[in-house]
Amino acid sequence: MRTYPARWLIVASALLVATAQAAPARKGKAKPPARKPAATAKAATAAAVAPLAPVRAVEGITEYRLPNGLQVLLAQDDAKPTTTVNLTYRVGSRHENYGETGMAHLLEHLLFKGSPKYPKAWSEFTKRGLRANGSTWLDRTNYFASFTANEDNLRWYLAWQADAMVNSFIAKRDLDTEMTVVRNEMEMGENNPSRILFEKTLATMYQWHNYGKDTIGARADVENVDIQRLQAFYRQYYQPDNATLIVSGKFDPAKVLAWVQAEFGKLPAPRRKLPTLYTIDPVQDGERAITLRRQGGVPLLFAGYHVPPGAHPDTAAVELLGLVMSDVPAGRLHKRLVDGQLAASVFSWNATLADPGFALYGAQLAPGQDADKAREAMLATLESLAAQPVTEEEVARAKAKWLKEWELRFSDPETVGVALSETVAQGDWRLFFLLRDRVKAATAADLNRVAQAHLLRDNRTLATYVPTEKPTRAPRPQQVDPAAQLKDFRPVETVAKAEAFDATPANIEARTQRFELAPGLKVSLLPKGTRGDVVQAQLVLRLGDADSLKGLATVGDMLPGMLDKGTARLSRQQLQDRMTALKADIQLGGSAEQLSVTLMTTRDHLPAVIELVGQMLREPSLPAEGLEEVRRQTLSSIEQARKEPEAIVDDALDRHGNPYPAGDVRHARTFDELAAEVAGVTVEQLKAFHQRFVGVRQAQFAAVGAMDAAAVRAALDKAFAGWSQPATFQRVPRPLVALAPARLSFETPDKQNATLVVRQPLAIKELDPDQAPLMVANFAFGSGGNSRLWKRIRETEGLSYDVRSGVMWSPIDVHSTWQASAIFAPSNRTKVEKAFREEADRALKQGFTADEIAQAKTGLLNYRRLQRAQDAALAGGLAHNDYLGRRFTVAQQLDDAIAAVTPEQASAAWRKYIDPDRFVSAVAGDFKGQ
């Protein structure tokens, strides 16, 4: 899949969508591409058995180097029982030659098609419960997997990675099969105007450098790729001396080093010499522009500026400038555009790359806002720092927030290994820490100097080139030697190890402390050691009943977005600054029926964060300007959804057969109804809703991680004790409603990716005797890389990039929903629908085999174990169980029931509940009347 660094996805989630799965394993056998002679395997094996001495160690990460050139980074952390393995190759779209665009990404897909030794790697991932994938970016390609700590899985995955490095098929027939899948991934991106605007922005910024070429590649190059050139590309770059293996989480370092030596050490050192890449774009000498016109979506504005490479000392200032400009609510762009009602939202992103990169700023407009006025204000704000310099206060706030995010990322062993891929690609993994130190040392003078050097009209890509009598030039781009930058770098002391926690239901139950605070707050605390003393928590407040909530669905939907806009004692900025000081990530969400708060902080700060959340919930200021901001953002989202196939299909299926009248919280609203209700919400309504419904008479709080349980209890008592709402809570029932079978079709012009969704309501709920058999049957049918839908529609016929099925389980009402979905090129609609129906009919007629059920049970159980190892999910599960009056022992009971399912039971459950003649399906795409 194509990926973008985390900050881009976080700050611009409304603008870009970049989620996908890599290619599954192939069927059949083929010979891997022959490699040129290298150092003998015998010599390599002899060298590999020699003990490895550490090359260097930085803050808990130790580097080793195999004789064949493989770099190994070990980041042991027993804080949670998971292991993440990440193998990064220093090859991305930057390394592609003329006619080879998309080759690095295509190779990523084909690596999962297997080798003679591992012909069905993807199926094995599913069976073992590995959360595995691969990604391609401008400077690197990486393959990674996270799983519950297990030495057998770890050794197997290391062995597969070593074998895949040199023995993958990279066969013509796999290329032919996967071609439609890759094209479907292209089409998925083509549906997103912001995604294409981003692609064209970079293409306009870079005239010569390959950063101007999208990692997905040109369609002509991908469709006409020569298999021999692809194999040569593989042989050249997929070698041990061009790779970094990163193992993080819970593992035995001595055993891992021995396994790495055994599996990777036997690979010969290559004799070929990697080419030196020397292309750098010249200084840009005038503003540039690109205009994209397509149907659907909302107005967007991007402004891109060339900046130094990621290893350059000025990168820290560029990073902080992004926060100074786009942070909410203090950012200059946010104040000028969002508060000024010129845009719905703003964002920024600095791409830290091996060669000179880019800083991107943007704004998303709501319907009716003037793009010309927004553009003028955005550019005036960005390019005015000479007259209005950055202040020390702005720098301090930006540094605090940037460092908070860095610390939270570094504290998670599942993310730190993958995060290091970016600095490996920049030239040295230690740049991850050097950038942090440079951010700490940055001053307002640094930011102003860098802004005045790079945030220039003539260095900007937004408008058409205009000849200028006296152009202003940015500094000439130049490469940076990471070794020289690191000569004075001194790492901090090694991070202390955390507790090894066994996330079994029995241990979870044994370690959990429970109590209740008046008038009705149920609390579950699971204290345990974590890396960086991080703790995750969730608070859920249950609200109202079906009668009292009539006509208030949209008011309740909008309230969570207003609770971070300030309190009776703190302004919006003071509230945000307080969160930063407490290293707290607080997210609010929910609906008219419940209000949820998820938070992440550290042990010492958790009591203060709880008190702050209490203030936010009990004393929100609910300002009028905040409501207008939320209103504009919501209307912008509604307008964008009107033309999107996925949103249109979901809307149609939600409304099909919905028996509830307008005003009922269960009523499925149209886009027009939503827009009208959002436009009519008032501050008075929000205040009245908050006063009437919000309280802890029926609420649950759960925390997992490093904490002082007594201090947490005291903080909860101080924040919430005695807080009761006037309106009582009574769960809104959603009984099973019989739906007439239907096939709905919608035309979405100019959308090159189509969507199919199939639903069927089921008379079953959680913990019913048939739950385990139906879960296993569905896993075999449509979940994971070894399911029938995946193997037929994605692998064999290559029609879809993403096809799946699942059950949305109801915990109380005897009303769950089975759903299947697929995305595809509109021209393949008939083939996709035919293949889907044939597989559904075959499952009814033939049932499932013993081998299918055995693999489904193994994969499903491993996924459940992995989920319990995630602290945030565990906190949510504890709170949910408290609401339902359950204990975590039910998870073990369900695991045991899943393990005992027979093929006959799974097949019988499938036939009992799944009936193709009762399906309600909807499809949307640019079918051009076909």
Side-chain angles (χ1 to χ4, degrees):
M1 70 178 181
R2 295 168 289 169
T3 58
Y4 307 91
R7 174 164 293 179
W8 169 250
L9 296 178
I10 293 171
V11 302
S13 61
L15 302 179
L16 286 183
V17 176
T19 57
Q21 288 184 318
R26 75 172 313 279
K27 294 183 177 180
K29 295 183 179 293
K31 294 182 178 179
R35 291 177 177 259
K36 294 182 179 180
T40 65
K42 182 178 180 180
T45 303
V49 298
L52 289 179
V55 176
R56 58 178 60 87
V58 176
E59 300 186 34
I61 301 175
T62 306
E63 176 185 347
Y64 300 86
R65 181 81 66 166
L66 267 59
N68 59 14
L70 179 71
Q71 183 183 53
V72 180
L73 303 179
L74 300 185
Q76 185 191 16
D77 182 3
D78 292 341
K80 56 185 201 179
T82 62
T83 306
T84 297
V85 180
N86 175 54
L87 184 60
T88 299
Y89 293 92
R90 289 177 282 279
V91 58
S93 57
R94 175 167 67 101
H95 302 82
E96 296 161 346
N97 292 318
Y98 186 79
E100 293 181 347
T101 61
M103 190 170 281
H105 173 251
L106 189 57
L107 188 56
E108 176 216 325
H109 276 248
L110 292 186
L111 206 76
F112 289 101
K113 289 293 187 178
S115 66
K117 185 176 180 180
Y118 299 94
K120 297 182 179 180
W122 198 267
S123 296
E124 191 71 11
F125 296 161
T126 300
K127 183 173 69 175
R128 291 175 175 270
L130 275 60
R131 188 171 62 204
N133 216 325
S135 72
T136 308
W137 185 226
L138 300 171
D139 295 319
R140 55 92 189 133
T141 305
N142 69 328
Y143 302 85
F144 50 92
S146 293
F147 45 91
T148 304
N150 178 294
E151 290 190 348
D152 179 66
N153 283 345
L154 176 55
R155 183 162 192 179
W156 181 91
Y157 189 74
L158 290 171
W160 173 76
Q161 285 276 26
D163 182 74
M165 181 181 288
V166 296
N167 295 319
S168 295
F169 289 125
I170 318 299
K172 181 65 167 63
R173 58 183 177 183
D174 290 332
L175 177 63
D176 293 340
T177 301
E178 196 67 7
M179 187 59 63
T180 307
V181 173
V182 175
R183 279 198 296 260
N184 189 213
E185 186 177 2
M186 285 182 174
E187 292 147 358
M188 180 177 64
E190 288 286 337
N191 270 15
N192 192 326
S194 61
R195 176 69 194 84
I196 302 305
L197 185 62
F198 171 71
E199 172 189 319
K200 295 185 182 300
T201 300
L202 293 195
T204 306
M205 291 183 71
Y206 292 96
Q207 293 180 314
W208 306 107
H209 197 285
N210 266 4
Y211 286 166
K213 306 292 191 299
D214 192 9
T215 54
I216 196 70
R219 181 179 287 268
D221 287 356
V222 173
E223 292 180 342
N224 296 286
V225 64
D226 179 79
I227 187 62
Q228 293 181 343
R229 291 180 71 179
L230 186 60
Q231 291 170 344
F233 192 88
Y234 168 62
R235 289 191 296 266
Q236 175 150 292
Y237 289 106
Y238 278 58
Q239 295 278 7
D241 66 339
N242 195 44
T244 298
L245 176 69
I246 307 168
V247 183
S248 59
K250 184 175 181 179
F251 60 88
D252 184 327
K255 289 183 178 180
V256 169
L257 282 177
W259 297 336
V260 169
Q261 288 178 279
E263 300 298 341
F264 289 90
K266 62 188 176 184
L267 304 181
R271 291 177 177 172
R272 61 90 182 91
K273 183 178 179 181
L274 289 170
T276 300
L277 304 184
Y278 44 77
T279 301
I280 292 181
D281 266 38
V283 175
Q284 186 171 321
D285 55 359
E287 62 268 42
R288 300 173 186 167
I290 181 67
T291 300
L292 177 67
R293 300 183 188 276
R294 290 199 177 188
Q295 191 176 85
V298 293
L300 301 168
L301 298 173
F302 290 177
Y305 300 86
H306 295 279
V307 296
H312 195 282
D314 286 345
T315 294
V318 177
E319 288 276 292
L320 294 175
L321 278 170
L323 287 170
V324 169
M325 288 295 174
S326 65
D327 195 22
V328 177
R332 294 189 178 191
L333 285 176
H334 181 87
K335 289 182 176 179
R336 183 79 177 270
L337 276 72
V338 179
D339 290 348
Q341 301 187 25
L342 297 176
S345 60
V346 297
F347 77 92
S348 68
W349 174 40
N350 173 42
T352 51
L353 302 171
D355 285 342
F358 57 91
L360 194 68
Y361 298 84
Q364 177 171 298
L365 277 62
Q369 291 182 321
D370 191 316
D372 290 337
K373 291 182 179 179
R375 182 188 301 108
E376 180 182 357
M378 182 172 72
L379 298 182
T381 304
L382 289 169
E383 298 171 10
S384 65
L385 270 68
Q388 299 174 338
V390 175
T391 66
E392 290 292 350
E393 180 183 3
E394 289 176 308
V395 175
R397 181 178 294 123
K399 288 167 67 172
K401 189 158 190 174
W402 192 98
L403 291 168
K404 179 200 77 171
E405 293 175 359
W406 189 97
E407 290 169 8
L408 293 177
R409 189 182 317 120
F410 184 56
S411 69
D412 187 346
E414 288 189 29
T415 61
V416 69
V418 178
L420 287 171
S421 287
E422 306 307 325
T423 47
V424 165
Q426 291 167 35
D428 194 303
W429 61 274
R430 293 171 294 168
L431 292 169
F432 182 74
F433 302 96
L434 181 61
L435 179 58
R436 174 204 59 195
D437 293 354
R438 285 172 167 172
V439 166
K440 288 181 178 179
T443 64
D446 293 327
L447 271 67
N448 288 314
R449 172 181 55 80
V450 170
Q452 292 173 41
H454 297 284
L455 298 186
L456 304 172
R457 176 194 59 194
D458 289 354
N459 190 41
R460 178 220 308 154
T461 293
L462 179 69
T464 304
Y465 166 74
V466 176
T468 305
E469 182 178 354
K470 295 181 179 180
T472 305
R473 297 286 184 254
R476 188 180 69 170
Q478 56 182 337
Q479 294 179 322
V480 175
D481 178 9
Q485 299 299 319
L486 288 159
K487 67 181 186 306
D488 297 323
F489 170 63
R490 298 292 181 270
V492 301
E493 296 180 3
T494 301
V495 178
K497 292 183 179 179
E499 169 196 4
F501 180 75
D502 184 14
T504 62
N507 193 43
I508 292 170
E509 189 62 30
R511 294 279 296 270
T512 299
Q513 304 175 22
R514 294 186 176 87
F515 56 89
E516 185 170 339
L517 296 175
L521 178 61
K522 295 181 179 179
V523 181
S524 290
L525 304 180
L526 202 168
K528 71 182 186 71
T530 59
R531 184 185 181 96
D533 278 346
V534 170
V535 59
Q536 309 261 8
Q538 183 175 102
L539 171 66
V540 181
L541 282 60
R542 313 287 171 172
L543 316 177
D545 57 31
D547 289 332
S548 62
L549 292 172
K550 284 182 178 179
L552 297 175
T554 300
V555 177
D557 290 345
M558 295 181 71
L559 179 63
M562 293 289 294
L563 297 177
D564 63 353
K565 303 298 187 289
T567 72
R569 288 177 276 167
L570 296 174
S571 70
R572 184 178 183 182
Q573 188 60 63
Q574 289 172 331
L575 178 59
Q576 291 297 319
D577 291 345
R578 181 64 174 155
M579 290 184 203
T580 298
L582 294 175
K583 298 183 178 180
D585 182 11
I586 301 174
Q587 302 293 327
L588 300 110
S591 65
E593 298 174 66
Q594 71 173 46
L595 177 61
S596 64
V597 183
T598 59
L599 64 90
M600 179 180 180
T601 185
T602 58
R603 181 185 191 275
D604 293 341
H605 291 121
L606 179 58
V609 172
I610 290 172
E611 293 183 22
L612 183 63
V613 169
Q615 185 181 156
M616 294 169 66
L617 294 179
R618 299 184 72 165
E619 307 172 46
S621 60
L622 304 178
E625 62 274 15
L627 173 58
E628 293 310 310
E629 178 182 331
V630 172
R631 193 195 316 278
R632 289 191 297 270
Q633 292 173 346
T634 307
L635 290 174
S636 178
S637 298
I638 294 171
E639 187 64 25
Q640 187 167 351
R642 290 178 184 272
K643 301 293 184 180
E644 294 303 320
E646 295 85 352
I648 290 172
V649 162
D650 283 340
D651 173 71
L653 290 175
D654 287 344
R655 292 190 294 112
H656 177 75
N658 183 287
Y660 303 105
D664 193 297
V665 290
R666 295 163 292 188
H667 173 69
R669 292 159 287 175
T670 66
F671 293 127
D672 288 341
E673 287 175 327
L674 278 170
E677 291 180 8
V678 168
V681 172
T682 67
V683 169
E684 290 71 23
Q685 287 177 319
L686 291 168
K687 291 180 177 179
F689 186 97
H690 176 267
Q691 179 66 31
R692 182 181 180 189
F693 294 105
V694 182
V696 294
R697 185 189 299 180
Q698 174 59 271
Q700 299 81 40
F701 177 88
V704 177
M707 72 183 84
D708 179 338
V712 171
R713 178 167 188 159
L716 288 168
D717 189 65
K718 182 178 179 181
F720 299 113
W723 183 35
S724 180
Q725 66 272 39
T728 58
F729 166 76
Q730 180 67 42
R731 183 185 65 86
V732 179
R734 285 176 169 79
L736 183 70
V737 176
L739 298 181
R743 181 183 179 278
L744 312 174
S745 181
F746 304 91
E747 284 283 346
T748 55
D750 208 28
K751 297 296 182 181
Q752 298 184 36
N753 193 56
T755 296
L756 167 70
V757 176
V758 178
R759 291 183 188 172
Q760 182 188 336
L762 308 176
I764 188 174
K765 61 177 175 58
E766 288 181 359
L767 304 184
D768 281 356
D770 286 336
Q771 183 184 12
L774 187 56
M775 289 177 72
V776 174
N778 176 75
F779 201 89
F781 180 78
S783 296
N786 203 36
S787 67
R788 289 187 179 181
L789 287 182
W790 182 276
K791 290 192 289 188
R792 167 74 183 275
I793 296 177
R794 161 126 190 189
E795 265 195 40
T796 303
E797 299 189 22
L799 297 172
S800 175
Y801 184 70
D802 183 17
V803 58
R804 65 184 67 194
S805 70
V807 180
M808 294 173 280
W809 293 97
S810 170
I812 300 176
D813 293 314
V814 184
H815 178 193
S816 299
T817 301
W818 180 81
Q819 176 172 303
S821 63
I823 61 171
F824 49 91
S827 59
N828 288 328
R829 179 181 65 175
T830 301
K831 294 179 181 178
V832 170
E833 290 183 311
K834 179 175 181 291
F836 175 81
R837 180 58 190 248
E838 288 178 355
E839 289 304 318
D841 289 341
R842 184 165 74 94
L844 284 179
K845 182 178 180 181
Q846 300 177 5
F848 299 95
T849 67
D851 184 57
E852 284 179 308
I853 296 306
Q855 293 187 39
K857 291 194 297 184
T858 300
L860 180 57
L861 288 171
N862 282 332
Y863 280 131
R864 287 172 56 81
R865 295 184 187 108
L866 180 61
Q867 187 72 3
R868 288 194 291 266
Q870 313 305 313
D871 288 352
L874 186 53
L878 287 168
H880 187 63
N881 280 347
D882 282 342
Y883 168 60
L884 297 174
R886 296 177 184 171
R887 294 294 179 258
F888 244 96
T889 50
V890 299
Q892 187 62 58
Q893 294 168 8
L894 183 55
D895 283 357
D896 294 341
I898 290 171
V901 170
T902 67
E904 294 76 17
Q905 290 172 331
S907 299
W910 187 263
R911 294 185 179 106
K912 179 178 178 180
Y913 291 99
I914 306 302
D915 182 0
D917 291 335
R918 295 167 52 204
F919 285 169
V920 179
S921 67
V923 63
D926 189 0
F927 303 123
K928 295 181 171 57
Q930 62 175 300

